[in-house]
Amino acid sequence: MTIAVIDYGMGNLHSVAKALEHVGEERVTITRDPRAIKGATRVVLPGQGAIRDCMSELERAELKGLVNTLLADGDKPFLGICVGQQMLMTRSEENGGVRCLNYLPGSVKHFATDMTDADGQRLKVPHMGWNRVDQTHMHPLWEGIPAGERFYFVHSYFVAAEQHADVFGTTTYGHHTAHIATGRDAVFAVQFHPEKSAAAGLKLLANFVEWSP
């Protein structure tokens, strides 16, 4: 039983792997070997930085086609983290427009730079720190996690999914409601960093390790 963390040169790979090792008994491997990824019990797609770079590196590592196949087949649990969530959408407006994997219909948008909070204080972009997450649909990965729990974020762009059924969690920042947990079938993806989100994040990863969609 193996969890494959896809190594395409982008993402907080070792922190994610260590967190997964902490919560489960399955072997965790960081790999770009297609055979190891195909043979894994579960797959994690992390990502951080610019989405154009992430998409380019995924192609350069010759893993884009494999990821698309895993998403389409839906025969094993698949978790996207941070830019790994954004990459599942149709398109990002970053850098004038970037085509993504188009697994879920929707776009990736930039936070407005002129937002203020209720006291009139300017909100910073990137959105960085702990924020409340509202669970919009029940999901096995939310099991044991209270509604309104806080998770750790670092992002300037956010997902706007087209279909309400694909959205499992939101957070509010300024006047934006970001779709920070999305998924379908055996795929679940989050904008926040569960590996940096203390007990709630570890619980979500533990749920992923136990998930049998």
Side-chain angles (χ1 to χ4, degrees):
M1 307 290 278
T2 305
I3 302 173
V5 179
I6 299 178
D7 177 11
Y8 60 103
M10 307 291 289
N12 195 18
L13 304 176
H14 292 283
S15 294
V16 171
K18 289 294 185 185
L20 287 165
E21 289 173 349
H22 179 75
V23 300
E25 297 181 357
E26 294 188 44
R27 185 169 67 89
V28 180
T29 180
I30 298 172
T31 181
R32 60 176 55 200
D33 181 350
R35 291 172 299 178
I37 297 169
K38 289 177 185 177
T41 314
R42 305 168 194 282
V43 176
V44 178
L45 179 67
Q48 63 184 27
I51 196 168
R52 183 183 296 278
D53 293 340
C54 288
M55 290 299 303
S56 295
E57 289 301 305
L58 194 66
E59 291 196 49
R60 190 177 68 83
E62 299 181 351
L63 292 172
K64 180 181 176 183
L66 174 57
V67 170
N68 278 327
T69 298
L70 293 172
L71 294 169
D73 288 349
D75 60 353
K76 64 184 69 181
F78 185 106
L79 177 65
I81 296 175
C82 194
V83 179
Q85 184 211 20
Q86 297 178 10
M87 292 166 70
L88 302 184
M89 308 312 292
T90 306
R91 186 173 182 83
S92 172
E93 65 181 26
E94 185 177 344
N95 300 123
V98 177
R99 293 180 65 184
C100 302
L101 295 171
N102 197 30
Y103 174 70
L104 296 176
S107 58
V108 183
K109 300 179 178 295
H110 194 274
F111 282 115
T113 56
D114 58 351
M115 297 184 298
T116 57
D117 62 18
D119 298 322
Q121 298 296 312
R122 186 165 184 168
L123 293 172
K124 295 180 179 180
V125 177
H127 167 213
M128 184 180 298
W130 296 82
N131 257 63
R132 171 191 171 102
V133 168
D134 295 309
Q135 301 172 17
T136 56
H137 288 94
M138 294 180 63
H139 193 279
L141 266 67
W142 290 140
E143 185 177 349
I145 300 174
E149 185 61 87
R150 294 165 66 85
F151 292 84
Y152 187 79
F153 291 84
V154 183
H155 62 131
S156 299
Y157 292 80
F158 65 94
V159 163
E162 291 182 5
Q163 298 185 14
H164 180 65
D166 295 336
V167 180
F168 290 91
T170 64
T171 197
T172 300
Y173 193 62
H175 56 262
H176 295 291
T177 298
H179 298 161
I180 52 74
T182 49
R184 182 183 294 176
D185 300 327
V187 177
F188 195 82
V190 294
Q191 177 66 63
F192 55 80
H193 289 270
E195 77 280 7
K196 297 181 180 179
S197 295
L202 292 177
K203 178 58 177 171
L204 185 138
L205 291 178
N207 289 340
F208 172 69
V209 171
E210 297 295 329
W211 185 27
S212 297

